[in-house]
């Protein structure tokens, strides 16, 4: 069995440069999850490392396939210097461990909620999972392994998360686009939803 994590880290380094900080979290009964921080100009990017070590399994399956199944890592981008966003490391590790802990399959369009602010004073408690392939290209693995997808996380206010549940992810993304919302602003307000 190939260890995918060195390949994943190499892909992150190729796309984002060398990390300037890293932290590791281990939850009872799960593998270690690392969160790497990259700085590019005035943007901080936080990327998980460890979620893709195992394929995500359908929670209704009798047995989890140890080889086949979707693999992913999470990437969050925020503007530096606006808020102390480094405490997001633990919530990101919690989200990255959710496939192992809860049997969750994380896919684009999904909402993930941590139940508390992503960092102290943050107006966001949840994220929308975006489409992969923009910032970090998928990492192809040898057959029969599925590729590792790097899923961007878009912070949502509680009002946006509630609106998204009713109107779906695409409608919220269109609302953000129509209003010129800076999704990297760690202190932004909710987009108008009326």
């Amino acid at each position: 069995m190939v260890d995918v994590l060195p390949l994943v880290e190499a892909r992150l380094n190729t796309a984002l440069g060398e990390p300037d900080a890293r932290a590791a979290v281990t939850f009872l009964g799960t593998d270690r999850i690392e969160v790497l921080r990259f700085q590019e100009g005035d943007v901080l990017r936080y990327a998980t490392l460890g979620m893709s070590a195992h394929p995500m399994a359908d929670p209704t399956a009798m047995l989890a396939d140890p080889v086949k199944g979707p693999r992913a890592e999470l990437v969050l981008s925020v503007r530096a210097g606006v808020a102390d966003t480094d405490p997001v490391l633990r919530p990101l590790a919690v989200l990255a461990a959710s496939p192992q802990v809860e049997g969750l399959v994380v896919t684009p369009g999904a909402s993930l909620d941590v139940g508390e602010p992503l960092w102290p004073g943050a107006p966001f408690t949840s994220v929308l999972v975006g489409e992969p392939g923009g910032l970090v290209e998928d990492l192809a693995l040898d057959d029969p392994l599925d590729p590792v997808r790097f899923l961007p996380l878009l912070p949502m206010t509680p009002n946006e998360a509630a609106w998204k549940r009713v109107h779906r992810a695409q409608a919220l993304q269109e609302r953000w686009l129509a209003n010129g919302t800076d999704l990297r602003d760690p202190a932004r307000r909710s987009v108008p939803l009326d």
Side-chain angles (χ1 to χ4, degrees):
M1 186 60 121
V2 65
D3 182 4
V4 303
L5 296 184
L7 302 172
V8 169
E9 186 167 4
R11 175 58 54 94
L12 287 168
N13 291 348
T14 299
L16 305 176
E18 289 294 319
D20 66 353
R22 65 193 313 143
V25 179
T26 305
F27 302 100
L28 188 63
T30 67
D31 292 340
R32 170 179 147 127
I33 302 286
E34 287 190 83
V35 179
L36 312 180
R37 185 183 73 187
F38 303 85
Q39 183 153 9
E40 180 185 334
D42 70 339
V43 176
L44 291 173
R45 301 192 197 284
Y46 299 93
T48 63
L49 179 63
M51 183 177 170
S52 62
H54 306 285
M56 293 181 276
D58 181 345
T60 62
M62 291 294 280
L63 286 174
D65 189 323
V67 177
K68 291 212 47 78
R71 295 175 187 259
E73 296 291 352
L74 308 174
V75 181
L76 173 70
S77 299
V78 293
R79 294 225 178 277
V82 178
D84 178 17
T85 55
D86 280 350
V88 78
L89 299 172
R90 184 163 178 76
L92 278 180
V94 167
L95 295 177
S98 61
Q100 288 183 59
V101 174
E102 301 173 31
L104 184 68
V105 177
V106 179
T107 58
S111 298
L112 303 175
D113 196 319
V114 294
E116 62 186 23
L118 293 176
W119 53 84
F124 318 106
T125 59
S126 62
V127 293
L128 175 65
V129 180
E131 291 291 335
L135 188 60
V136 184
E137 288 182 32
D138 291 355
L139 173 64
L141 301 173
D142 293 336
D143 279 336
L145 303 178
D146 287 18
V148 177
R149 302 171 85 196
F150 297 88
L151 302 171
L153 300 180
L154 310 172
M156 293 188 293
T157 66
N159 286 345
E160 290 170 338
W163 196 85
K164 181 256 175 194
R165 279 192 293 277
V166 174
H167 299 280
R168 304 242 182 246
Q170 184 175 347
L172 178 58
Q173 290 176 307
E174 288 169 0
R175 184 66 57 115
W176 283 336
L177 190 59
N179 284 276
T181 305
D182 180 3
L183 297 174
R184 294 177 181 167
D185 180 355
R188 75 171 179 84
R189 300 203 182 283
S190 183
V191 71
L193 299 169
D194 48 353

